[in-house]
Amino acid sequence: MSTNQTKLGIKMDSSEKETINHTLDSLLLKNSIVQKPVSNTSKSNDMARPFLKWAGGKKQLLEEFDKRYPMDISTARINKYVEPFVGGGAVLFHVLQEFELDECHIYDANEELILVYSVVQKDVDGLIEKLRFLQSSYLDLDEEGRKEFFYSIRMKFNESKSKIDFETYGVDWVKRASELIFLNRTCFNGLFRVNSKGEFNVPMGRYKNPKIVDETNLQNASMVLKNVIIHHGDFEDCESVVDERTFVYFDPPYRPISKTSSFNSYSKDAFDDESQMRLARFYKKLHLKGAKLMLSNSDPKNENPDDHFFEDIYPEFKIERVPAKRMINAKGSGRGSINELIITNYSE
């Protein structure tokens, strides 16, 4: 038993732990081999939405983005969409259901996130079956049972990471995607956070009846993602697919506006000021290729009016401030309105 498990009050002897792990492995493996078809007849006309909770999600800013999309995207002058930091995908799903485009590429450095997108695209029925099992198993338990179940899944998720080939799609991806969605739906505040070893380390949340599997939305999301080209990699990897008929939206890990607000551990590699400056240089490179660009980030002037970091690294581009709310904070009092930045290389 690990030190973290002891601190969290989990009491399982070796035989109990082995029984839980054997049961989970058997049932999830069974679903990998024999997948019951999921009916498509119950689909609604609802728009596809993000299927993961994600720190810094952009749902609340979509109205502001709508006012600022380049005019060419409505006239088919722009026929390609690229998102180098796809995250939860709020902007991706909005753009793909709002505009007619010929090509779309999404990227992220977070290999777990890219794995889940790939599974939703390629085998949403298999994913739903596994999530059904996890949901029914979890919701049938009392509070202590749920705690043991959550930390058992989290432990297995971390222990199995080294066995996953993140570059080659396989049947084990479906099981892992179901575990990640389960953890995302039941952990504290819906965070995705990893430590320096790349291990998921968010504690359990306290939800009475979490919706672990949203079948209709997963089916709708799978349809939207059908022709999307999904890449695992650094944001600069997208350069080769960007041309003058491309719209690129950048949503990097936000620069902390204070020492206590830092949260950019979506992957084991932190996104620091040097990374922000590297991104600014890349932004200018794509600008010179003729692409239309939009980028969002935090506004340091919320805390320090004399902090000109973004004005200094994006001097030739349009910077606008729009109101937003902090969506992830342990204290409710820390979720007030703030400004965020939208940086574009066009004026229409």
Side-chain angles (χ1 to χ4, degrees):
M1 186 178 297
S2 71
T3 302
N4 286 340
Q5 289 173 312
T6 303
K7 288 181 179 180
L8 291 162
I10 300 171
K11 299 178 181 178
M12 288 189 288
D13 60 32
S14 58
S15 62
E16 290 173 324
K17 177 177 162 184
E18 183 177 351
T19 299
I20 289 174
N21 288 343
H22 177 72
T23 301
L24 289 172
D25 282 341
S26 298
L27 287 169
L28 287 172
L29 181 58
K30 178 181 178 182
N31 281 338
S32 296
I33 299 170
V34 181
Q35 295 172 357
K36 300 176 182 178
V38 177
S39 172
N40 293 329
T41 59
S42 63
K43 281 188 181 179
S44 70
N45 292 322
D46 291 343
M47 301 281 279
R49 308 180 311 278
F51 44 81
L52 290 171
K53 298 179 182 179
W54 205 254
K58 292 299 174 292
K59 181 179 178 180
Q60 62 171 321
L61 289 178
L62 291 180
E63 186 175 339
E64 295 293 341
F65 292 161
D66 249 340
K67 304 172 187 175
R68 295 170 173 82
Y69 290 135
M71 290 180 61
D72 286 348
I73 200 171
S74 300
T75 63
R77 174 67 181 80
I78 287 176
N79 66 353
K80 187 188 302 182
Y81 178 66
V82 174
E83 195 165 334
F85 303 88
V86 68
V91 179
L92 169 72
F93 288 116
H94 183 246
V95 167
L96 293 187
Q97 294 172 102
E98 185 75 17
F99 305 107
E100 292 289 336
L101 296 162
D102 296 333
E103 192 175 334
C104 175
H105 296 260
I106 60 174
Y107 297 75
D108 208 281
N110 186 323
E111 57 198 6
E112 302 284 5
L113 181 63
I114 290 302
L115 180 148
V116 177
Y117 272 100
S118 298
V119 170
V120 172
Q121 181 192 62
K122 297 177 185 295
D123 191 4
V124 71
D125 290 350
L127 175 62
I128 287 172
E129 281 300 312
K130 290 173 179 57
L131 288 170
R132 283 176 177 168
F133 160 68
L134 289 170
Q135 178 170 272
S136 62
S137 300
Y138 183 76
L139 296 183
D140 284 346
L141 299 171
D142 60 18
E143 184 176 352
E144 189 61 28
R146 288 185 179 188
K147 183 183 293 187
E148 291 187 7
F149 192 90
F150 174 88
Y151 286 107
S152 176
I153 292 289
R154 194 183 79 168
M155 179 176 61
K156 288 166 58 60
F157 180 81
N158 288 330
E159 288 177 346
S160 64
K161 183 181 177 76
S162 62
K163 301 174 184 177
I164 301 293
D165 179 356
F166 286 97
E167 301 305 321
T168 305
Y169 188 90
V171 68
D172 54 348
W173 282 32
V174 185
K175 176 176 178 286
R176 189 163 187 84
S178 71
E179 292 172 345
L180 178 56
I181 292 175
F182 167 79
L183 292 170
N184 179 256
R185 290 289 171 177
T186 56
C187 74
F188 175 75
N189 257 350
L191 287 170
F192 183 94
R193 183 187 65 199
V194 295
N195 59 24
S196 59
K197 298 178 181 179
E199 297 173 335
F200 185 86
N201 64 355
V202 184
M204 177 181 170
R206 294 186 177 275
Y207 306 106
K208 291 185 178 180
N209 190 33
K211 190 169 187 177
I212 296 167
V213 52
D214 185 340
E215 298 185 23
T216 299
N217 187 55
L218 283 169
Q219 292 281 6
N220 290 342
S222 183
M223 291 179 64
V224 172
L225 292 171
K226 181 179 179 181
N227 295 315
V228 172
I229 303 170
I230 302 172
H231 308 263
H232 169 228
D234 182 75
F235 63 85
E236 290 195 68
D237 291 350
C238 76
E239 182 179 359
S240 62
V241 304
V242 174
D243 57 26
E244 70 279 0
R245 298 188 66 186
T246 305
F247 173 49
V248 185
Y249 169 61
F250 295 93
D251 182 25
Y254 275 18
R255 182 175 186 253
I257 59 175
S258 68
K259 293 181 180 179
T260 60
S261 69
S262 178
F263 184 85
N264 56 22
S265 299
Y266 308 104
S267 64
K268 61 183 181 295
D269 303 311
F271 206 85
D272 56 15
D273 277 2
E274 178 53 44
S275 300
Q276 297 285 358
M277 290 186 283
R278 180 167 71 93
L279 174 57
R281 293 191 292 270
F282 184 66
Y283 187 101
K284 185 171 183 178
K285 183 183 291 188
L286 296 191
H287 168 69
L288 295 175
K289 294 185 74 170
K292 301 293 187 185
L293 313 175
M294 176 187 287
L295 179 147
S296 55
N297 215 309
S298 60
D299 182 6
K301 294 183 184 296
N302 286 299
E303 292 287 330
N304 179 7
D306 295 323
D307 189 332
H308 305 293
F309 180 80
F310 288 106
E311 284 81 1
D312 290 341
I313 65 174
Y314 293 98
E316 61 266 71
F317 302 112
K318 183 178 182 180
I319 300 178
E320 298 178 272
R321 288 172 168 81
V322 296
K325 293 183 182 297
R326 293 175 180 169
M327 300 304 291
I328 291 189
N329 192 308
K331 298 180 180 179
S333 60
R335 302 188 187 192
S337 294
I338 59 171
N339 286 330
E340 292 190 0
L341 303 180
I342 298 177
I343 302 173
T344 53
N345 71 332
Y346 52 87
S347 57
E348 70 264 19

